[in-house]
Amino acid sequence: MSMQQDTFGSKLGAIAAIAGSAVGLGNIWKFPYVCAENGGAAFLIIYILLTMTISIPVLLAELSLGRMGQQDVYHSILRLAPNKRWIILAISSLMAAYLILSFYCVISGWTMEYLWQALSGQFQGVTEQYMTERFVSFVNSGHRPIFWTLIFLALNSIILGFGVSKGIERCNKLLIPLLFIMLILLAISATRQAGWREGVEFLLRPDWSKVTGRTILAALGQSFFSLSIGAGAMLTYGSYVDKKENLMSIAIIVSISSIVIALLAGLVIFPTVFTYDVALSSGPSLVFITLPPLFGMMNGGLVVGTLFFALLFLAAITSSTSMLESLVSFVIHTHHITRARAILILYSAVGVLGSILALSQMDSSCLILLGKNLFDWADTVASNHLMPLAGLATAVLAGHYIEKNKVIDALSSKERYPGVDVIYLLLRWVCPPAIAAMYLTAFIH
Ligand code: PHE
């Protein structure tokens, strides 16, 4: 069987796919509450600075490893760094993709359930108390979250079944502009709300007194997660980008879009929360418990609520397909099997773990370790440990181990892009110590 790589057909397609991976639940579901927990604007400023100086170089390193390796994360690294130690990087990326994808499918399943509730007018006249009970009973039912998890995973599998250009690229080219338009409509509609000013101020006026070492760590973690760093997804997509395209411009456009989308999500959520003077709660409850009653109260809330959950769903599916592709591509290259068969194997593997994680959230669940359920463990292990460590290893591999000229060529295509040397310097001297320092500080605390 030929192992010729399927690739993205155009630069626009590559940007849409890479942006699709980046923009996800991390921007719309996680960003607003992590930002709220960490002092609003101060967090935002640190987040943007870290994205510019650390995350963009590491994202570029990951994309360029894919370009140089031309295969999945495992075989690309094997080809570029024959020294066995680097295999740990590949394995940790694949583990991260597997764990994140499994819990991501569960939350994406919730968004489908809530999209259905919004569409059928079930938020009309509900209270926060009622939504809390409904959320708890949904999660505790066990079979309903599993049902949606498996449906969501099936949709991912169908998209990937069409291949890289006909499946992933085509789908992102359609969904990403749609997502942008929906978010802009929601942000415009939020300007009509009484709490708009307060919401915008919260997002734009920094309160530096809330900033601690933890804030900086939270910002780096958020930035890595949001740019899909450390799960092999960007490396795999990097291998699909035509070699004549400039990775620098693609990475910069994608990173800016990701920041803008997170900001817009804040501009939708904060004014709504301030208008109705409810507590800015954190965690999943912000989106799944606090917001629905507010949609039920506002004029045109049926449309706004439906648009909001449809938006979450679109953002989720364009990201999850990139994680699944990272795993599918690995299985295809390892076992020399067809794409369809690899997808089937991974559907089973992710479906089983996703279902276990969904069950671990039930109150009666015994899937608890050291006071934390398996769902939270999957998130903690992948987001706080595997991804930052993979990001660190990626920076060291591209900045110190692989020949400089090779990396620079991969970063900038034929014509040398201004700024490529700055990126390389950041990658070599700033990213590794900065990521290591932040990781160790988190570990000590
Ligand atoms: N970037 C995605 C988000 O913000 C999450 C993700 C992580 C996607 C790792 C792929 C790989 O939701």
Side-chain angles (χ1 to χ4, degrees):
M1 191 179 58
S2 155
M3 275 289 149
Q4 184 61 37
Q5 289 253 95
D6 187 4
T7 54
F8 297 135
S10 66
K11 181 167 186 178
L12 209 67
I15 293 177
I18 294 173
S21 171
V23 173
L25 295 175
N27 302 61
I28 299 168
W29 170 67
K30 228 175 179 183
F31 174 81
Y33 77 75
V34 177
C35 180
E37 269 172 7
N38 288 287
F43 175 85
L44 180 67
I45 293 170
I46 299 171
Y47 169 69
I48 294 177
L49 282 177
L50 288 177
T51 301
M52 301 296 202
T53 50
I54 313 254
S55 309
I56 292 184
V58 180
L59 168 63
L60 271 163
E62 198 177 320
L63 288 168
S64 67
L65 290 183
R67 170 168 280 181
M68 292 182 280
Q70 281 302 300
Q71 288 190 57
D72 63 285
V73 56
Y74 184 90
H75 294 90
S76 290
I77 290 176
L78 204 62
R79 178 185 279 183
L80 294 168
N83 184 328
K84 286 256 171 4
R85 268 179 301 169
W86 292 104
I87 288 305
I88 298 175
L89 163 59
I91 293 173
S92 115
S93 301
L94 289 167
M95 280 295 294
Y98 182 48
L99 292 177
I100 299 172
L101 180 60
S102 302
F103 81 75
Y104 211 87
C105 284
V106 177
I107 303 178
S108 307
W110 299 353
T111 70
M112 291 178 81
E113 159 79 21
Y114 276 69
L115 175 59
W116 161 247
Q117 291 187 12
L119 201 61
S120 49
Q122 294 184 44
F123 297 153
Q124 244 54 43
V126 295
T127 59
E128 194 166 343
Q129 167 76 20
Y130 177 79
M131 273 326 282
T132 310
E133 282 160 22
R134 192 142 98 184
F135 180 72
V136 171
S137 97
F138 168 67
V139 169
N140 271 309
S141 74
H143 67 279
R144 278 163 65 207
I146 291 180
F147 167 77
W148 287 118
T149 303
L150 297 179
I151 297 280
F152 182 78
L153 194 54
L155 293 177
N156 276 272
S157 307
I158 294 170
I159 296 172
L160 292 200
F162 282 97
V164 176
S165 52
K166 293 213 179 71
I168 300 173
E169 180 177 356
R170 214 171 0 157
C171 171
N172 278 292
K173 261 164 85 176
L174 183 78
L175 298 186
I176 291 298
L178 194 65
L179 186 150
F180 245 122
I181 294 171
M182 282 162 64
L183 191 54
I184 286 172
L185 285 180
L186 282 171
I188 292 174
S189 104
T191 60
R192 291 181 305 145
Q193 304 206 25
W196 193 73
R197 233 164 193 276
E198 217 182 322
V200 173
E201 265 179 23
F202 179 74
L203 205 56
L204 297 182
R205 189 174 295 164
D207 175 2
W208 294 106
S209 69
K210 289 229 176 83
V211 174
T212 60
R214 287 201 150 264
T215 321
I216 298 175
L217 270 170
L220 185 75
Q222 174 64 24
S223 171
F224 269 24
F225 187 84
S226 190
L227 290 181
S228 313
I229 289 169
M234 288 304 190
L235 190 152
T236 309
Y237 276 11
S239 76
Y240 299 151
V241 180
D242 192 312
K243 285 209 171 127
K244 67 177 193 306
E245 305 299 354
N246 204 312
L247 291 180
M248 289 272 291
S249 60
I250 295 179
I252 290 168
I253 294 172
V254 167
S255 308
I256 293 175
S257 317
S258 171
I259 293 175
V260 169
I261 293 211
L263 259 172
L264 284 172
L267 284 178
V268 170
I269 290 176
F270 296 136
T272 312
V273 170
F274 287 119
T275 300
Y276 296 94
D277 205 18
V278 285
L280 197 51
S281 56
S282 64
S285 50
L286 175 60
V287 161
F288 296 102
I289 294 173
T290 312
L291 289 184
L294 309 185
F295 292 141
M297 270 186 261
M298 66 174 68
N299 274 340
L302 189 82
V303 179
V304 174
T306 305
L307 263 182
F308 182 79
F309 283 104
L311 175 79
L312 267 183
F313 167 72
L314 292 189
I317 199 154
T318 55
S319 294
S320 51
T321 41
S322 74
M323 291 180 245
L324 188 57
E325 179 63 18
S326 163
L327 297 166
V328 164
S329 161
F330 165 68
V331 171
I332 294 178
H333 287 110
T334 308
H335 298 292
H336 303 284
I337 54 175
T338 59
R339 174 167 272 272
R341 194 168 271 195
I343 292 174
L344 212 65
I345 294 174
L346 284 160
Y347 181 87
S348 319
V350 178
V352 168
L353 184 60
S355 304
I356 292 175
L357 298 185
L359 289 176
S360 83
Q361 291 184 308
M362 294 166 68
D363 286 339
S364 57
S365 167
C366 54
L367 299 165
I368 291 182
L369 207 73
L370 303 173
K372 218 194 267 251
N373 65 37
L374 291 189
F375 181 93
D376 292 336
W377 271 115
D379 185 10
T380 310
V381 171
S383 315
N384 300 357
H385 300 285
L386 297 177
M387 289 173 84
L389 287 177
L392 173 63
T394 302
V396 176
L397 180 58
H400 291 270
Y401 193 84
I402 300 173
E403 227 177 285
K404 179 175 175 184
N405 284 343
K406 236 174 128 183
V407 177
I408 298 257
D409 282 351
L411 285 175
S412 58
S413 75
K414 274 214 189 71
E415 80 276 17
R416 204 165 161 128
Y417 205 73
V420 72
D421 294 304
V422 179
I423 293 286
Y424 189 77
L425 278 180
L426 287 170
L427 198 59
R428 192 169 161 87
W429 301 117
V430 178
C431 298
I435 303 170
M438 289 186 228
Y439 178 73
L440 286 177
T441 327
F443 214 60
I444 295 164
H445 281 89

